[in-house]
Amino acid sequence: MSYLEEIQVKNLDYLGIVTGLIDEIGIVKIINNKLGIDVREKISAGTVVKSILINGLGFVLRPLYLFSQFFQDKAIEKLLGERIKPDYLNDDKIGRVMDELYKYGLNDIFIEVVLEVIKKFKIDLKYSHLDSTSFHLDGEYKREEDKEKQEEEKIIKERPIFIKKGYSRDHRPDLKQCVLDLITSQDGDIPLFVRVGDGNESDKAVFGKVLVEFKKQIKFDSIMVCDSALYGQENLQLIQHLKWITRVPMTIKKAKELVQNIEVEEVKDEDKEKRSDLNLESYTWKEEIVTYGGIKQTWLIVLSEKRQKSDLEKLEKQLSQEEKKSQKFLKEIQSEEFEHPQAARYKLKAINKKLRLLEIKEVELIETYSKKKEKIYKMISLIIKKDEEISRKTKEAGKFILATNLVEENKLEASEILITYKNQQSTERGFRFLKDPLFFTDSFFVGKPERIETMLFLMSLCLLIYNLGQRELRNCLKRVEKAINNQVGKVTLRPTLRWIFQCFQGIHYVILNGVKQIVNLTEERRFILSLLPASCQRYYL
């Protein structure tokens, strides 16, 4: 045997960190306990799931049917076990495991993983955030909805989803889709609850039910934060036993009145420094006690200076655009000949429906004759501003209303309500991660709705692993009071885990004459490993 044939070099890179986090959570053990281990199988269901999660966090554009290729140049025996070969991870095996996961219950498995993470990593659950997004899907799907059957089935599960067209957050109304509801912790953006819904599902119809279901599954005292889709009389009655913060839609009459008539309080000099420390120096507010939907609540009417400036600039732009449009309409209606007065007024009414801030008003309707000596009518009109509408929009600029049912007991400071709602982007960050083109969202090649749900379950586990690793890294940097360089060379206490992944590119697992070793493990990489859980360190040290 030649010297070269005695050397094996496999890529390890950052996959040891990913695998270590999976081990630290205990995902393989949880899956195997749920689905069981068949001694006849070369690889357990838990290990298959582990391999999918490693692939998913590999940030490569490889669909699942090229799955085994992903591991061809990786240190698979180091990551998955000494006797595991890439060809064990074929699409038939992956498909069977996905079907078993769905049959057992994706929600039950996810909740058990989440509870383990909460307990082991002491996740602060004071606040939880709910939001939804849509995933557009290509191709045909076997399940088509029967409307009568759909109405009979419960909206919160017990059936596969309907893949169909609906309101698209991806701006692809031409494609069928499904909806993902996600609840995350404010502490580290950890996914706590995931639910996949029908493509045409309405947030208003399900958000209240989602929160009730979430509370049944995970019993803890958390304040739920949500956008205005939650705020409606039916939902408020449904969640009256929960604690919540949400935004009030401006379609509600009481909200319109308050925004128009109430003046927010000026900031006192002694409060300016405090608000600056909280990064709220551009906000002012006023509290009101309101009863809506039979629920007593605090409404916080907030004015954002930055948003006010933006809204007023948009209003000016809209007014300018309408002036150009209305001049064109004015010329058109004044040059037109009408057979009857009613026809002229009908045309004017249709034109005014297209304007919001301006109005073309009839001054005079002249009776005259055409060149053919036929009686006709011509309209003399002028453009006027809708002062009341412009004034309303000016007063509304930069204002929004937040509501909470924490009125007397456990009452929150106004600043805390505002800061907490601003952290609603916790779920939005999760959606950006799941929709990243380098993530395996494009693996939606599977033909059954059940497989789509399972795929989103696996993707959500990837999000959990990623955000947990990032949280642990940042918390540890804060504890040791040390910083590391980010991608632009500046020191930071809040690096992204993706940047850490890039830092670990080029680490190899080498077997030389039967001796196994890790190469390219620099001092900087060793320091970063010291900040991560022990399970991550074992793959390198």
Side-chain angles (χ1 to χ4, degrees), residues 448-463:
K448 297 193 299 183
E450 294 91 333
R451 291 274 183 93
I452 295 295
E453 289 188 59
T454 308
M455 181 66 77
L456 280 166
F457 157 78
L458 294 167
M459 290 166 64
S460 300
L461 281 180
C462 286
L463 174 63

Side-chain angles (χ1 to χ4, degrees), residues 226-329:
C226 190
D227 65 19
S228 60
L230 178 67
Y231 201 90
Q233 294 195 32
E234 187 177 336
N235 277 339
L236 294 184
Q237 287 294 326
L238 197 61
I239 62 169
Q240 60 181 310
H241 61 290
L242 303 178
K243 300 174 183 176
W244 49 262
I245 296 172
T246 186
R247 184 167 174 162
V248 180
M250 285 300 152
T251 52
I252 293 175
K253 185 179 177 181
K254 179 69 175 176
K256 288 180 181 178
E257 291 173 355
L258 280 176
V259 165
Q260 287 294 311
N261 301 320
I262 203 165
E263 292 296 328
V264 296
E265 298 171 348
E266 289 189 15
V267 184
K268 298 176 183 177
D269 290 338
E270 58 266 28
D271 291 334
K272 286 182 179 179
E273 186 176 348
K274 181 181 176 182
R275 292 196 186 186
S276 180
D277 292 340
L278 296 171
N279 198 26
L280 296 177
E281 60 268 27
S282 64
Y283 293 91
T284 49
W285 54 73
K286 184 175 178 60
E287 291 185 57
E288 289 282 314
I289 300 298
V290 173
T291 299
Y292 182 79
I295 308 294
K296 188 178 180 183
Q297 47 201 276
T298 299
W299 278 17
L300 189 68
I301 300 93
V302 183
L303 172 64
S304 164
E305 289 179 9
K306 291 179 182 177
R307 182 171 172 175
Q308 184 182 45
K309 183 181 178 183
S310 174
D311 287 350
L312 290 175
E313 286 174 355
K314 287 177 183 176
L315 183 61
E316 281 295 319
K317 187 177 179 181
Q318 185 183 353
L319 191 55
S320 175
Q321 289 172 342
E322 282 207 7
E323 283 172 351
K324 292 176 184 176
K325 190 189 293 185
S326 58
Q327 288 289 349
K328 183 181 175 182
F329 289 149

Side-chain angles (χ1 to χ4, degrees), residues 81-266:
E82 290 187 2
R83 294 183 295 276
I84 304 299
K85 305 297 179 187
D87 57 6
Y88 294 176
L89 300 167
N90 55 68
D91 54 351
D92 289 335
K93 178 63 178 177
I94 293 166
R96 285 198 301 274
V97 170
M98 290 177 73
D99 292 342
E100 288 173 21
L101 290 169
Y102 184 86
K103 187 176 179 181
Y104 183 88
L106 303 174
N107 186 56
D108 292 343
I109 298 171
F110 194 84
I111 291 296
E112 184 155 339
V113 172
V114 166
L115 291 173
E116 186 66 26
V117 169
I118 291 169
K119 179 181 175 183
K120 191 164 191 173
F121 296 92
K122 296 180 173 57
I123 308 297
D124 183 357
L125 298 175
K126 182 176 181 180
Y127 296 108
S128 302
H129 298 263
L130 166 65
D131 208 345
S132 69
T133 192
S134 58
F135 287 85
H136 63 266
L137 306 163
D138 298 306
E140 296 296 322
Y141 289 87
K142 296 173 184 178
R143 180 175 171 84
E144 294 294 336
E145 73 275 29
D146 177 331
K147 288 187 178 179
E148 291 184 7
K149 188 176 179 183
Q150 184 178 1
E151 288 173 4
E152 290 173 2
E153 294 174 311
K154 292 184 180 179
I155 203 162
I156 285 290
K157 216 64 201 84
E158 299 182 12
R159 60 165 173 80
I161 57 172
F162 292 112
I163 307 295
K164 64 176 298 179
K165 292 180 181 179
Y167 173 68
S168 174
R169 280 84 163 178
D170 296 331
H171 309 292
R172 290 300 307 269
D174 56 312
L175 295 177
K176 292 181 180 180
Q177 64 177 26
C178 64
V179 169
L180 179 73
D181 299 316
L182 176 67
I183 297 177
T184 61
S185 67
Q186 189 164 304
D187 176 16
D189 301 347
I190 306 299
L192 303 174
F193 187 84
V194 175
R195 174 185 166 274
V196 186
D198 302 338
N200 65 339
E201 189 173 271
S202 164
D203 292 348
K204 291 180 181 179
V206 301
F207 270 7
K209 297 180 177 71
V210 168
L211 291 183
V212 171
E213 185 70 15
F214 173 60
K215 193 70 176 179
K216 286 180 186 174
Q217 298 282 350
I218 301 181
K219 294 180 171 62
F220 54 78
D221 196 27
S222 187
I223 299 170
M224 305 306 306
V225 187
C226 190
D227 65 19
S228 60
L230 178 67
Y231 201 90
Q233 294 195 32
E234 187 177 336
N235 277 339
L236 294 184
Q237 287 294 326
L238 197 61
I239 62 169
Q240 60 181 310
H241 61 290
L242 303 178
K243 300 174 183 176
W244 49 262
I245 296 172
T246 186
R247 184 167 174 162
V248 180
M250 285 300 152
T251 52
I252 293 175
K253 185 179 177 181
K254 179 69 175 176
K256 288 180 181 178
E257 291 173 355
L258 280 176
V259 165
Q260 287 294 311
N261 301 320
I262 203 165
E263 292 296 328
V264 296
E265 298 171 348
E266 289 189 15

